[in-house]
Amino acid sequence: MKKIAIEEHFATARMLKDMKTWEKRLEMPSIMGKDFVEHKLSRIDLPPEEHRLPEMDRFGVDMQVISANWPAAQGYIDEDVAVQAAQEYNDAANAIVQAHPDRFRAFATLPLQDPDRAVKELERCVNQLGFVGVMIQGHSNLEYLDDIRFDGVWSALEEMDVPLYLHVGHPEHSQLKSYGSYTEMMGPTWNWAAEGTTHTLRLVFGGVFERHPKAKLILGHLGETIPYLLRRIDEGADKTGAMEKGIITHEPSFYLKRNLYITTSGEYFPEALHCAVSAMGLDHVLFACDYPLSGIDVGVECLERCGLTEDELDTIYHVNAERLVHLG
């Protein structure tokens, strides 16, 4: 069965160095365990031939859509530096794709610090390099994608008919107080889900999907809790008078079920996937592994233990990706 995984990260030496600078600037505590760093994160900058491709072959993954590891272009304050870094990282992704065109495609990173130049880089990546979408690593200098200054980016994405994959990022430092000294609650345990869900709901309540009805947003990790809260979110919007403001004209779940796609990246129990498919619809669920932060073996195992039919597996493994990012 054909398999296309669409949240698969790579890094360069500069990315890894600048990641540490970015985390220091946000005053983030060290959260990753030694074993994870040595046996998983250490693979992220290896040439594809050394681990990535052998693992893809071992578990039957035909293609990865690769993306620059966080913070990618979101990690810079200076606009010119962000633009230069985005071009460098996108060129690095393109080099991997060109070396193995039958095994890889790429999502672009964009320098949202300068929205106009971000649109130009989007156009370069999609129209010239053949990239199939965008991955944004959370906020850019504490600015979120609901800001009206990013409307030009959303319009360009609609016009090109390519999705924006919103990856989780670290929150601003002031939000860390609620976690106390429990650094084990940071990252994939909880705070990334909270950050990703918050960012997505800002897009809904900020009217991004009202203004851009054809926009396509992708969230990893089974939607960062959103599929399990749809009715609760609608209830909250009703009680707080969200539609009385005139920004949105439908319940939040309308936009989330129309504009949002989720992937199977990370690890989960079968019950979670069944809920996600029921809530979002089978056509809005795509396969991903989160390589190398999660193993390809785990990505395949988690999906195949869910008791889905062959047709359902086929749809998640590759049919939805081929339609959404035009890989057919």
Side-chain angles (χ1 to χ4, degrees), residues 92-114:
N94 187 51
I96 295 173
V97 173
Q98 293 306 311
H100 303 279
D102 58 333
R103 305 304 299 274
F104 298 112
R105 293 293 185 271
F107 286 137
T109 183
L110 297 183
L112 293 176
Q113 295 85 342
D114 185 329

Side-chain angles (χ1 to χ4, degrees), residues 152-213:
V153 176
W154 286 108
S155 293
L157 290 165
E158 277 188 300
E159 183 178 349
M160 296 180 188
D161 192 25
V162 294
L164 186 152
Y165 201 129
L166 179 58
H167 194 266
V168 289
H170 291 317
E172 58 182 297
H173 182 72
S174 63
Q175 296 178 14
L176 301 183
K177 186 176 181 180
S178 61
Y179 299 97
S181 62
Y182 303 108
T183 56
E184 60 268 32
M185 292 175 62
M186 304 298 294
T189 309
W190 177 243
N191 92 279
W192 282 349
E195 180 74 5
T197 299
T198 299
H199 198 155
T200 300
L201 292 181
R202 287 182 63 141
L203 301 180
V204 172
F205 291 110
V208 170
F209 302 132
E210 184 79 23
R211 299 190 299 274
H212 304 282

Side-chain angles (χ1 to χ4, degrees), residues 83-252:
V83 170
Q84 187 276 328
Q87 293 171 347
E88 177 183 322
Y89 297 161
N90 290 329
D91 288 344
N94 187 51
I96 295 173
V97 173
Q98 293 306 311
H100 303 279
D102 58 333
R103 305 304 299 274
F104 298 112
R105 293 293 185 271
F107 286 137
T109 183
L110 297 183
L112 293 176
Q113 295 85 342
D114 185 329
D116 290 337
R117 285 193 282 180
V119 170
K120 290 181 180 179
E121 181 63 6
L122 171 63
E123 292 171 344
R124 180 181 83 95
C125 288
V126 173
N127 296 334
Q128 297 180 30
L129 303 183
F131 284 24
V132 297
V134 169
M135 179 173 282
I136 300 300
Q137 302 281 351
H139 58 74
S140 301
N141 287 341
L142 304 182
E143 292 185 327
Y144 290 78
L145 284 161
D146 58 296
D147 194 300
I148 197 69
R149 68 194 298 261
F150 298 126
D151 260 24
V153 176
W154 286 108
S155 293
L157 290 165
E158 277 188 300
E159 183 178 349
M160 296 180 188
D161 192 25
V162 294
L164 186 152
Y165 201 129
L166 179 58
H167 194 266
V168 289
H170 291 317
E172 58 182 297
H173 182 72
S174 63
Q175 296 178 14
L176 301 183
K177 186 176 181 180
S178 61
Y179 299 97
S181 62
Y182 303 108
T183 56
E184 60 268 32
M185 292 175 62
M186 304 298 294
T189 309
W190 177 243
N191 92 279
W192 282 349
E195 180 74 5
T197 299
T198 299
H199 198 155
T200 300
L201 292 181
R202 287 182 63 141
L203 301 180
V204 172
F205 291 110
V208 170
F209 302 132
E210 184 79 23
R211 299 190 299 274
H212 304 282
K214 295 182 180 179
K216 298 177 178 68
L217 179 75
I218 308 174
L219 279 183
H221 317 123
L222 290 188
E224 308 290 2
T225 75
I226 283 177
Y228 326 110
L229 297 175
L230 288 178
R231 178 66 182 268
R232 178 65 168 169
I233 294 169
D234 284 349
E235 177 193 11
D238 178 60
K239 289 181 176 177
T240 58
M243 286 183 285
E244 297 171 14
K245 296 181 178 180
I247 298 175
I248 59 175
T249 58
H250 300 279
E251 291 181 322

